[in-house]
Amino acid sequence: MFKTIYQLKTLIAFIFVIATLPLVSVSAEEMEFDPFEKSISEISDALNNNQITSEQLVEYYLERIEAYDKQGPAINSIITINDQAVEIAKQLDEERQNKGPRGILHGIPIVVKDNIDVKGMPTSAGSVALKDAYPTEDAFVIQKLKDEGAIILAKTNMSEFAASYGRLGYSSLGGLTLNPYNLNRDASGSSSGTAAAVTANFAVFGLGTDTSASVRGPANVTGLVGIRPTIGLISRSGVIPSSLTFDTTGPIARSVEDAAIVLSVMAGVDEKDAKTLPAKEHIVEDYSKSLDSTALQNARIGVAVDFFGDNEEVDAIANEAIAKMEEMGTEAIPVSFSELTQYLWTPIVGPINDADFKVQLEEYLAQLPEGQPKTLEEIIKISESPEVLNSATPVNPGRVEGFKTSMEQAEFKDSAEYNQIITNEMPKVRDEIQAIMENENLDAIVFPTMSCPASPRFDQEDPTYVCEAYDTYAASYVASATGFPEITVPAGVTKEEVPVGISFFGLAFSEQSLLDLAYSFEQATNARTLPKTTPNFAVDLVDETKFKDVNSYEDEIEYLTDKGIIQGYADGTFKPNNPITRLQAIKMILREKGIKDFSNVTNPGFIDVKPGDNGYEEIAKAVELGIINGYVNAQGQKYFDPNGKLTRSHAAKILVLAYDLEGTNPTEFKDVPKEYWAYDEISALAANNIAGGYEDGTFKPTNNLSRQDFAVLLARYLNDDFKTSK
């Protein structure tokens, strides 16, 4: 079941924002229930009604991971697949039939951030130094989820040791996780892999950890609900620590109800984590049971004005969300924090985190089996080894410097200054928040979860990104420093199709109230959108070459479709205005040339494309044929940037090299002077009547090329009927 069907000549398969993918077809006879975007309750009901089995669910999500995480858009959210997942699913199916379900999570596949211990799977924290670190037992929260019947499907990528240092969602073991909504942007950090995987429907929900924003940030930029609970509500034992002063685990899900269900299972007192002991009297048995869609009708909400002003789109989305709450009956009151509370990283979060890290990490490492690193010094030594430095994914240099800072700051732990922050400064912030909420009689404080949208991935520029913030995560430090809860919920999307969330923040153990408010907002706005790069698998395929969204250059596009050179989406669309990537262009040309054998390709030596990656063979073949070359970075390393958007200049060069086009006619484009690097290639296209310019006499060589534009250029080379008149 869920077997991959490759394209036949007349069969329209998927083409996504990044690359052409195999299409997975789900037989209605094999599965009566479509799991895509379904809630925990819906899937649980389908399992109980024999509409689907847990084994089928696991296979479904594994197929999606194969199709979208490892190829196609190559989201790269998964570090390790649980090779026992299918067998566990079979056992849980049998148990359901014989004894009934353990609970609502019985047989439901989930993903877990790779700093949380799962017995039988390594816990790496994204580090090559811990790639073989197998824990001897499950983390407390994992055991609780397993007791409920959840299946750990995979471990997810993360910012290495839960700190990004400028490379959000990057690790030496997992590489870089991309944002499924916009592959030029990151998925925040450090729980980037979990958030990307959940929004891409690689599992029903996932677990993250949050020290200073690591659940909330990733959930915010991937259109999800993320909960940072009150410190002590959820155990941290069996989790690689960053700073136990601030660390907590938390759920990341596609809806408030799902997040509430998971929170109910995760919450609990753990004798191994003393912070959980005071929570005993505050735990709600089922946070999802009484979710109130009318909670905003009579609520008083404080609007934290200090966290606006860094990005117009984010501000507009947040203000629209607040206006919607007011429309529902909420009273919104502007509130402002003290200068200390407006930016808590420097006085509280940063110094404590640096001081805690070495000592607490080494306490965790001491529990690992022999043969694994036991000290931070060993981690640094492995990270700086030639083998790791010269690999395709070396440790982020900033992360290494962070290790060294933590080595130096370890002596600060339990010093008089350290204790001053813990015993005086942190309570001062808590008292300030409590006073504001009590004086204004507030049910919660709201603000944009991040003051700017998802940032560009560290390895390429994105001129569309605008952010005036010194630190776009500043608002997140309030919950971290106080230990109070915060929930982020989708509120809208930017013009670059990146989600923006709004946060509901409250006093200790106010999770139920915050969930009610978040649920009320979610139900009223339905603001979650779906990422276009990871759509649902098609059930029925349309056997035709007419695209319902193509209104221009239809002959050229249909011509290439009939030849099997270009493909469309399963819903019968081509999405002609989507930008084409370098890898997509290469694949089209090689398909046209009939090149299918890549068995003897020579490794071109690009640091960002290695054997086994999607498109590696095609890229290597294109280099071998002289069609393309790569770039050289500041360190002298060659890279290719396969996901980079193709400009008109680059397209001209690729076509000229691919088809040995010649042409001596000078261009008459006033924006392409003779000294321009692609002058000869652009001239060759013009001389062969393949490419014309614009009415104003320009060629706009640096403009990104759309899928339609490249298809037209290729069709006009191959078929004289389509030659341009210019």
Side-chain angles (χ1 to χ4, degrees):
M1 64 191 66
F2 314 125
K3 297 302 181 184
T4 302
I5 299 176
Y6 289 89
Q7 176 211 9
L8 301 174
K9 183 175 181 180
T10 60
L11 188 64
I12 297 178
F14 287 117
I15 185 167
F16 303 106
V17 174
I18 289 302
T20 303
L21 295 176
L23 175 64
V24 177
S25 176
V26 181
S27 167
E29 293 180 359
E30 293 177 355
M31 188 176 69
E32 301 175 21
F33 176 80
D34 182 1
F36 186 73
E37 280 291 303
K38 295 298 193 297
S39 68
I40 291 173
S41 295
E42 289 172 320
I43 294 175
S44 180
D45 287 344
L47 288 165
N48 288 332
N49 294 327
N50 297 316
Q51 293 175 284
I52 195 170
T53 66
S54 293
E55 181 184 359
Q56 286 176 314
L57 271 177
V58 167
E59 290 177 347
Y60 171 82
Y61 291 121
L62 289 177
E63 288 281 2
R64 288 189 62 82
I65 290 169
E66 177 62 26
Y68 299 134
D69 199 60
K70 304 309 176 191
Q71 55 184 324
I75 302 303
N76 198 38
S77 64
I78 304 297
I79 278 188
T80 308
I81 297 288
N82 184 357
D83 58 11
Q84 297 298 309
V86 173
E87 184 57 37
I88 293 169
K90 290 179 181 178
Q91 294 170 5
L92 287 167
D93 283 334
E94 184 177 355
E95 181 180 328
R96 181 189 299 275
Q97 294 302 318
N98 295 333
K99 300 179 181 179
R102 301 181 189 181
I104 195 169
L105 299 184
H106 186 111
I108 287 184
I110 73 170
V111 291
V112 176
K113 186 177 181 180
D114 203 24
N115 60 346
I116 303 173
D117 285 347
V118 176
K119 190 175 181 180
M121 302 178 73
T123 303
S124 72
S127 170
V128 292
L130 296 182
K131 61 184 176 63
D132 297 317
Y134 286 79
T136 57
E137 59 184 26
D138 288 322
F140 183 83
V141 292
I142 296 298
Q143 188 60 59
K144 284 180 70 66
L145 288 161
K146 284 185 175 181
D147 289 345
E148 189 77 4
I151 301 170
I152 313 303
L153 181 67
K155 303 289 287 292
T156 54
N157 194 27
M158 56 184 287
S159 301
E160 195 150 343
F161 282 99
S164 298
Y165 289 92
R167 295 189 180 185
L168 293 146
Y170 172 85
S171 72
S172 60
L173 187 61
L176 177 64
T177 295
L178 305 183
N179 191 321
Y181 286 88
N182 184 330
L183 300 171
N184 295 319
R185 302 293 180 91
D186 59 47
S188 189
S190 61
S191 303
S192 46
T194 294
V198 172
T199 205
N201 277 259
F202 296 162
V204 184
F205 66 88
L207 301 192
T209 63
D210 191 307
T211 301
S212 54
S214 296
V215 162
R216 294 160 289 165
N220 168 77
V221 302
T222 58
L224 298 172
V225 176
I227 302 178
R228 177 189 167 89
T230 305
I231 284 287
L233 187 68
I234 296 177
S235 168
R236 290 87 48 84
S237 65
V239 181
I240 297 179
S242 179
S243 166
L244 292 173
T245 305
F246 310 119
D247 290 349
T248 182
T249 51
I252 297 177
R254 290 189 289 270
S255 71
V256 173
E257 180 183 45
D258 281 3
I261 289 171
V262 181
L263 181 67
S264 305
V265 177
M266 295 175 69
V269 174
D270 175 13
E271 297 296 333
K272 293 182 179 179
D273 184 351
K275 284 282 183 72
T276 66
L277 300 180
K280 185 174 182 179
E281 303 303 320
H282 300 281
I283 296 172
V284 175
E285 183 178 352
D286 185 351
Y287 290 96
S288 69
K289 188 175 182 179
S290 59
L291 287 174
D292 183 5
S293 62
T294 68
L296 284 169
Q297 290 182 8
N298 298 298
R300 282 178 60 86
I301 301 294
V303 179
V305 297
D306 304 312
F307 302 125
F308 288 72
D310 295 331
N311 178 275
E312 290 183 0
E313 285 188 284
V314 170
D315 286 354
I317 290 169
N319 285 324
E320 184 178 343
I322 293 163
K324 178 63 178 178
M325 294 182 210
E326 291 180 308
E327 181 184 313
M328 295 171 67
T330 301
E331 188 174 356
I333 298 96
V335 298
S336 185
F337 296 143
S338 67
E339 186 175 347
L340 169 69
T341 303
Q342 288 175 25
Y343 192 66
L344 289 162
W345 180 266
T346 301
I348 292 178
V349 180
I352 296 298
N353 191 81
D354 285 339
D356 284 348
F357 182 70
K358 177 182 183 295
V359 174
Q360 293 172 356
L361 172 65
E362 290 179 352
E363 288 175 355
Y364 171 88
L365 296 176
Q367 304 171 51
L368 293 178
E370 288 304 315
Q372 297 305 313
K374 299 295 183 181
T375 66
L376 179 55
E377 190 173 9
E378 290 178 75
I379 300 288
I380 295 172
K381 185 176 180 180
I382 295 169
S383 301
E384 293 187 320
S385 67
E387 178 185 2
V388 174
L389 287 174
N390 295 323
S391 69
T393 54
V395 180
N396 175 8
R399 175 66 272 196
V400 176
E401 289 306 308
F403 289 151
K404 294 177 179 178
T405 298
S406 295
M407 290 283 290
E408 296 170 358
Q409 293 300 310
E411 295 182 0
F412 178 67
K413 185 170 174 58
D414 297 326
S415 65
E417 187 178 353
Y418 177 97
N419 290 328
Q420 165 73 11
I421 295 174
I422 297 292
T423 58
N424 290 340
E425 298 304 308
M426 289 174 61
K428 186 186 300 183
V429 178
R430 283 193 286 268
D431 290 345
E432 178 186 338
I433 301 299
Q434 188 153 345
I436 290 173
M437 294 197 68
E438 289 179 355
N439 292 339
E440 298 291 348
N441 192 27
L442 301 178
D443 295 293
I445 296 175
V446 300
F447 44 83
T449 305
M450 289 167 50
S451 62
C452 292
S455 53
R457 25 188 298 194
F458 79 91
D459 59 345
Q460 65 182 42
E461 295 182 359
D462 185 345
T464 66
Y465 180 68
V466 176
C467 183
E468 302 297 328
Y470 175 73
D471 187 341
T472 188
Y473 295 93
S476 298
Y477 306 145
V478 181
S480 298
T482 58
F484 293 164
E486 179 185 331
I487 300 172
T488 180
V489 185
V493 294
T494 70
K495 63 183 178 182
E496 297 300 321
E497 300 188 355
V498 176
V500 170
I502 193 162
S503 280
F504 293 83
F505 167 71
L507 299 179
F509 301 111
S510 63
E511 278 81 1
Q512 184 68 71
S513 175
L514 296 181
L515 284 164
D516 287 345
L517 296 169
Y519 181 72
S520 183
F521 176 77
E522 174 195 60
Q523 296 301 300
T525 59
N526 193 28
R528 170 168 161 75
T529 60
L530 302 183
K532 295 178 181 178
T533 65
T534 56
N536 194 12
F537 290 148
V539 175
D540 298 312
L541 302 178
V542 182
D543 187 9
E544 59 182 349
T545 58
K546 294 288 186 181
F547 298 115
K548 58 189 178 186
D549 61 343
V550 173
N551 300 311
S552 57
Y553 303 111
E554 294 175 68
D555 291 339
E556 288 94 331
I557 291 171
E558 184 173 350
Y559 170 77
L560 293 187
T561 304
D562 288 342
K563 291 176 69 69
I565 297 169
I566 65 172
Q567 300 161 334
Y569 289 84
D571 63 358
T573 64
F574 177 67
K575 297 182 175 56
N577 296 323
N578 277 6
I580 191 168
T581 66
R582 288 161 58 83
L583 176 56
Q584 283 178 329
I586 291 165
K587 287 189 171 185
M588 284 175 62
I589 289 171
L590 294 183
R591 277 200 298 271
E592 189 280 322
K593 291 178 174 290
I595 295 174
K596 300 178 181 179
D597 183 7
F598 305 105
S599 57
N600 295 314
V601 291
T602 304
N603 191 331
F606 297 133
I607 63 170
D608 59 339
V609 184
K610 56 185 181 299
D613 288 349
N614 171 53
Y616 167 80
E617 290 85 0
E618 289 92 339
I619 291 167
K621 186 59 138 182
V623 172
E624 179 182 306
L625 295 174
I627 297 173
I628 58 168
N629 50 27
Y631 303 100
V632 178
N633 64 18
Q635 290 74 42
Q637 299 168 310
K638 289 174 59 181
Y639 68 100
F640 178 65
D641 189 20
N643 297 330
K645 296 175 183 176
L646 204 67
T647 66
R648 289 165 60 82
S649 293
H650 286 126
K653 184 172 184 179
I654 286 176
L655 289 169
V656 167
L657 293 174
Y659 298 104
D660 297 320
L661 294 175
E662 295 180 358
T664 57
N665 294 354
T667 70
E668 297 178 346
F669 306 132
K670 56 189 179 184
D671 59 343
V672 185
K674 288 186 177 180
E675 62 270 21
Y676 186 75
W677 69 268
Y679 177 87
D680 290 339
E681 288 82 3
I682 294 169
S683 294
L685 292 192
N688 285 277
N689 292 320
I690 294 170
Y694 295 88
E695 290 183 359
D696 62 357
T698 64
F699 181 73
K700 297 183 175 57
T702 60
N703 276 13
N704 290 329
L705 208 65
S706 71
R707 284 161 42 73
Q708 174 174 272
D709 291 336
F710 192 77
V712 168
L713 293 178
L714 189 55
R716 287 178 173 174
Y717 165 70
L718 298 173
N719 190 330
D720 286 338
D721 290 344
F722 305 132
K723 291 298 170 72
T724 179
S725 60
K726 292 194 69 174

